[in-house]
Amino acid sequence: MEFSMTLVIVILTAITSVAAFSNEKLMNELIFHPPSVSEKNQYYRFITCGLIHADYAHLIFNMFSLYMFGEFVELYFKIVFGKSGNLLYLLMYVTALAICLLPTYSKNRNNYNYYSLGASGAVSAVIFAALLFAPLTKIGFFFIPPFIPGFIFGPIYLLISAYLDKKGAGNINHSAHYWGAVYGLAFVIVGAYAASGYPVLTRFIDQVKGYLGMA
């Protein structure tokens, strides 16, 4: 049986998260804490914070979302990038964990009370990569109806995330969601153009135009 890269990530994240639920020392060592990065050079926290979650609901939602979209994106990465598809998919996921937190780090590098955890930024990158490949995919917020085409969902999601981040709503890092999504789009567009010549934007536009009856 061949394990997909997505399934490996889900299993590794689930094991680490569950272990950290009952191990405060492990949680503190892995969580994203900007001053620990700026003062102690613990840059690994950009990545390890994506392996832990606040609770079971947080973990299940993120890993379910990742599995639902990740398998599809993996398949498309193999189509677009060939034999390098799996490694590039993993590269996108891991780098998204770090890239999505750069604005957060810049804003909170001296904030000793700030902590962030979870894979939401990288999951957002995977979801938006999927919507770029298949913009007509129906999706709802938190998987709740109404379900709308991805090319409509995407801009709404970005606008809401940007608004909530500016407002500072709740304990959710909306900035990571926003920048993770943007990074997922950028990674696929630039990667496809540079490595394979796959016309990802042209195909995206053609699908949207067909849906709108403009083809």
Side-chain angles (χ1 to χ4, degrees):
M1 178 181 178
E2 182 181 353
F3 282 89
S4 67
M5 196 67 74
T6 298
L7 187 57
V8 171
I9 294 171
V10 169
I11 293 173
L12 178 61
T13 304
I15 291 174
T16 308
S17 293
V18 171
F21 289 154
S22 57
N23 188 329
E24 186 176 356
K25 183 176 184 296
L26 178 62
M27 181 73 78
N28 290 334
E29 287 178 349
L30 301 182
I31 200 168
F32 185 68
H33 184 235
S36 293
V37 176
S38 61
E39 297 177 8
K40 300 178 182 179
N41 298 321
Q42 295 178 350
Y43 295 102
Y44 67 86
R45 291 179 182 271
F46 278 100
I47 306 299
T48 58
C49 67
L51 294 172
I52 54 177
H53 289 76
D55 50 39
Y56 279 101
H58 187 205
L59 171 64
I60 291 171
F61 180 80
N62 269 347
M63 292 303 98
F64 178 74
S65 301
L66 175 60
Y67 186 76
M68 290 294 292
F69 289 92
E71 295 276 317
F72 172 78
V73 174
E74 252 192 278
L75 175 62
Y76 255 90
F77 265 52
K78 292 175 184 177
I79 294 173
V80 175
F81 301 111
K83 294 180 180 180
S84 302
N86 275 347
L87 289 178
L88 286 173
Y89 171 78
L90 179 61
L91 178 65
M92 181 186 74
Y93 185 87
V94 173
T95 53
L97 288 171
I99 295 297
C100 75
L101 287 171
L102 289 178
T104 300
Y105 173 66
S106 177
K107 184 178 179 180
N108 295 280
R109 60 187 305 161
N110 296 315
N111 184 354
Y112 288 89
N113 296 317
Y114 187 88
Y115 296 88
S116 182
L117 76 173
S120 299
V123 173
S124 292
V126 172
I127 292 175
F128 271 68
L131 298 183
L132 188 58
F133 288 127
L136 305 187
T137 300
K138 296 292 182 70
I139 183 172
F141 290 90
F142 302 104
F143 299 101
I144 299 174
F147 297 106
I148 58 178
F151 74 92
I152 297 175
F153 170 89
I156 294 175
Y157 178 90
L158 290 176
L159 286 172
I160 291 175
S161 294
Y163 170 76
L164 293 176
D165 177 50
K166 185 176 181 180
K167 186 179 179 182
N171 296 317
I172 299 173
N173 189 352
H174 297 286
S175 172
H177 295 179
Y178 179 91
W179 289 110
V182 171
Y183 179 71
L185 295 175
F187 188 97
V188 173
I189 293 171
V190 174
Y193 177 80
S196 74
Y198 183 87
V200 61
L201 280 179
T202 300
R203 291 180 179 250
F204 174 88
I205 293 171
D206 287 344
Q207 290 182 69
V208 173
K209 288 173 66 176
Y211 179 84
L212 298 175
M214 298 169 60

